[in-house]
Amino acid sequence: DIVMTQSPESLVVSLGERATIHCKSSQSVLYNSNNKNYLSWYQQKRGQPPRLLIYWASTRESGVPDRFSGSGSGTDFTLTISNLQAEDVAVYYCQQYFNLPLTFGGGTKVEIK
Amino acid sequence: QVQLVQSGPEVKKPGASVKVSCKASGYNFGDYGIYWVRQAPGQGLEWMGWISGYNGNTKYEEKFQDRVILTRDRSTTSAYMEFGGLRSDDTAVYFCARGKNMAELRNTFDVWGQGTQVTVSS
C-alpha cells in the first residue's frame, strides 16, 4: 500500500497570510506514460463531507478559489493557501490514486490565529 | 445539479448488518463509478471499495472484502453498501462518492454524499 504522510498535523495562521501543507507518498505517484501525478487534495469542514480542491497534483477543481494551489511531483507535494480566509478553517487531506488501495494522508487541521 | 443523497443514520448491535443507500442524480449514472469511504470519529478517511455504475463490477479494499457487498441499480440510479459482522470499531460516518474520471477505477472523488452515521453499540 502507498502510505501518505502529511505535515504538519495542525497549523495556525493569521488571516491574510499563507498556509503550507505537505504530503509525502511512500512511493512515486507519477505515471510516466502520461506524466501525471495521481494526487488530490480535499478540504473537509466540520460536519461536512470532503470537497475536492486539487487533482493531478496541481489542477484546481471548478469553483475552487485561486488562492488554493497545488505543486510537487513524484513523492513530495504541497498545498498552499494564499491569503487565508476565515472560511478556510478545515482539515485538509491528500489522496493518491496511483495504486489500489486508494489511500489518504492523515489530515492537517488549519486554524486562524 | 450533480448530487449524491444517502440514507439516514443507523444504530446496530454488534454482529448485525447494515445497508446504506446512495441515490445519484444530475448525471448519467452508468458513466461513473461510485466509491465508498468511511471516517471513524475524529479520524481520517479510509477507502472501502468501488462499484462500476455501468456494469456493477466491484473492487474492495482487502480488509473489507469479507464483510462488504456493493451493489447498484441503474433503474433507480442508486448504489448500496451492505456491511456485515459489525463491530464497535466500525462506528463511523460512511460516505459514497463519485469518481471524477469516467471508466477509471484509480480515481479522485469530485462529488460526495452527505454521509451516513452508523453506530455499533450493544
Side-chain angles (χ1 to χ4, degrees):
Chain A
D1 298 4
I2 298 178
V3 176
M4 308 300 290
T5 303
Q6 287 184 234
S7 62
E9 288 186 6
S10 65
L11 198 50
V12 183
V13 179
S14 299
L15 285 172
E17 295 299 307
R18 175 179 299 178
T20 302
I21 300 168
H22 301 280
C23 176
K24 188 174 183 67
S25 56
S26 61
Q27 65 186 76
S28 176
V29 298
L30 173 62
Y31 194 39
N32 291 328
S33 67
N34 60 11
N35 201 36
K36 289 185 174 182
N37 287 282
Y38 284 54
L39 189 284
S40 292
W41 290 96
Y42 299 88
Q43 174 194 65
Q44 187 178 30
K45 296 181 179 179
R46 182 179 295 273
Q48 296 185 17
R51 172 196 181 192
L52 177 63
L53 298 176
I54 302 282
Y55 57 99
W56 300 132
S58 61
T59 301
R60 206 176 297 114
E61 176 71 337
S62 175
V64 173
D66 61 6
R67 64 179 181 274
F68 292 91
S69 62
S71 63
S73 185
T75 61
D76 292 280
F77 301 90
T78 301
L79 175 70
T80 302
I81 312 171
S82 305
N83 186 21
L84 191 80
Q85 301 296 301
E87 61 263 32
D88 300 334
V89 167
V91 179
Y92 293 84
Y93 294 94
C94 59
Q95 177 231 336
Q96 67 79 22
Y97 48 108
F98 182 84
N99 257 353
L100 298 181
L102 307 174
T103 50
F104 294 85
T108 296
K109 187 174 185 179
V110 173
E111 297 174 297
I112 303 292
K113 188 182 292 183
Chain B
Q1 75 278 25
V2 177
Q3 62 177 352
L4 301 173
V5 178
Q6 298 183 223
S7 50
E10 303 267 8
V11 178
K12 296 292 182 182
K13 293 196 181 304
S17 296
V18 68
K19 191 169 186 176
V20 178
S21 67
C22 172
K23 166 75 174 172
S25 61
Y27 71 96
N28 188 346
F29 183 77
D31 284 346
Y32 295 84
I34 294 289
Y35 297 74
W36 291 86
V37 175
R38 78 174 183 179
Q39 186 169 38
Q43 301 300 307
L45 301 164
E46 185 175 29
W47 174 68
M48 300 179 68
W50 160 88
I51 185 164
S52 166
Y54 175 66
N55 58 16
N57 285 350
T58 55
K59 184 72 173 178
Y60 300 101
E61 213 286 354
E62 192 174 329
K63 71 179 280 189
F64 297 111
Q65 64 185 12
D66 291 338
R67 296 197 292 145
V68 171
I69 300 172
L70 301 182
T71 57
R72 63 83 173 102
D73 183 338
R74 286 189 71 168
S75 69
T76 59
T77 64
S78 294
Y80 302 90
M81 181 202 63
E82 187 165 13
F83 196 8
L86 290 169
R87 307 186 290 252
S88 58
D89 63 356
D90 294 318
T91 293
V93 177
Y94 291 77
F95 295 101
C96 62
R98 188 183 79 162
K100 181 174 178 64
N101 302 304
M102 292 167 52
E104 281 283 348
L105 171 49
R106 300 173 301 146
N107 224 324
T108 186
F109 314 127
D110 64 344
V111 182
W112 293 69
Q114 82 276 20
T116 296
Q117 174 69 52
V118 176
T119 303
V120 184
S121 174
S122 55

